[in-house]
Amino acid sequence: MEAAGGLLLPRGRPRRPEAVRLRKRRSVLYGAARGAAAQPGAGAAGGTSALTALAVAVRVLNCALVRTSFVPDEYWQSLEVAHRMAFSYGHLTWEWAQRLRGYSYPLLFASIYKALQLLGKDDVQLLIWVPRLVQAVLAAFADVKLYLLVRHLENAETAKYVYFCQLCSWFTWYSCTRTLTNTMETLLTIFALYYYPIKGSKMGSSCKYLTLIALAIVIRPTAAIPWIPLVFSHFLREQRKADLILHNCIPVGLVTLGISLIIDRVFFGEWVLVQLNFLKFNVLQNLGTLYGSHPWHWYLTQGLPIILGTHLPFFIHGCVLAPKRYRIFLMAVIWTVLVYSTLSHKEFRFIYPVLPFCMFFCGLIHQRGTLDVMSHVQELCNDSNQSQAFVFIMMPCHSTPFYSHVHCPLKMRFLQCPPDLTGNESYIDEADVFYSNPLGWLNKEFYNDTLLPSHLIFFSVLEQEISSFLALKGYEKTATIFHTHVPQGRVGSHIYVYRKGLK
């Protein structure tokens, strides 16, 4: 007997050719490697599941830690509307009377509210947190999709860095769990990117990515802006252009638009195309300037650099090094910023949907008082004198959430600020009238003590100016709530809650 590579062969028996023995051993390893590559379900699926669990945990933590207010639309155009849809009471802002908003997005939260009600679990804390947790889970899935897309197009190492940048993006962390249409627009953009047929991708699906874009447009019509160069590029590369239009674009558009029309018909009580009204008001008529205007270069000099934050140098560096096939993503970013720059009214959140594109190429506690004060209002729901309670929020309009964060039919009022749509040049909204002479306005509005609110809520900057009214009418300060380190104009550093004392 003699040893041959670890095998014992009888003496005198012809040895197997070395090539055959090595080929047999190699085939086992090579076959395993090929199996793992061809079927990512075994190892990769387990890794993806673990990554998804991690992503969900991170975004739930994200949701728990971000307890600040951003913009009024976070509540007034989603949760407040959903509360009215589910519980038959809640305030609709002037946009709904003008048919500028659609019910498709609030329907998501209204369904959650109704399910909680049917289960007997419609506690106010659940109504506040469950919608945000749903957004957090969707954001986590979007993070994973972005990672998987980069891993598919590049490699696992590059995907890890992109995923890390996504998690460390301060603006994504700040915005991704909020119930804003901009947030859902951004998440749907990431899902659509996953199925976009970019060169080299084997996961491209025209039907899927067009459907996701259509859903984003239904929720926020301006979602079409970043996708215009991408869809046009796809059309130019597509060999079967007629099939793309007839079998994908038209059916997806008709079905999505039809569902949107039906939903709005149910809740508005009439047929209305809110997406067209939205575009007319915000783009064609540019009436968004009622809420402020900025110079044309604002997105270039402030908007994009600020939301990128510490990612900015990595983004610029990545733009220089990126392969040619990713230039279409950079074009989408530039195109979106330029289009939004033509509109006078500008906000950081409007260009939030371009951040996922930017991640391809490369993370303060403030303004929380307007949320914390609502917990003081909630306490009135459990008061035996709830029916006599009357809360008046004397702050810039829509500073706080409303019934969606109280969930009981308290009598509440806030300063209104709808724009004038009749052409009256001398029109001044209620909030501006109030702030022009707060003391005079209060004395005139509440000329009779029987009309007085039981509770007043206002920023600290207003206290001195109305102190005589507070003293005369017997109001006592019951709570002081921190809001911001940087008070400005009508917004103070703290929020005060005053209660009318018993005489």
Side-chain angles (χ1 to χ4, degrees), residues 224-254:
I225 294 174
W227 283 100
I228 289 175
L230 290 162
V231 173
F232 184 67
S233 173
H234 176 203
F235 178 78
L236 293 179
R237 289 184 287 106
E238 180 63 47
Q239 295 181 348
R240 296 178 298 177
K241 292 180 173 56
D243 286 348
L244 177 63
I245 295 174
L246 297 176
H247 297 159
N248 290 286
C249 295
I250 293 178
V252 166
L254 289 177

Side-chain angles (χ1 to χ4, degrees), residues 7 15 42-43 80 91 115 162 214 298 324 331 359 367 479:
L7 296 176
R15 296 175 60 184
E80 186 70 20
H91 185 83
V162 171
W298 187 83
K324 184 178 179 180
M331 186 180 296
M359 291 304 109
Q367 294 185 191

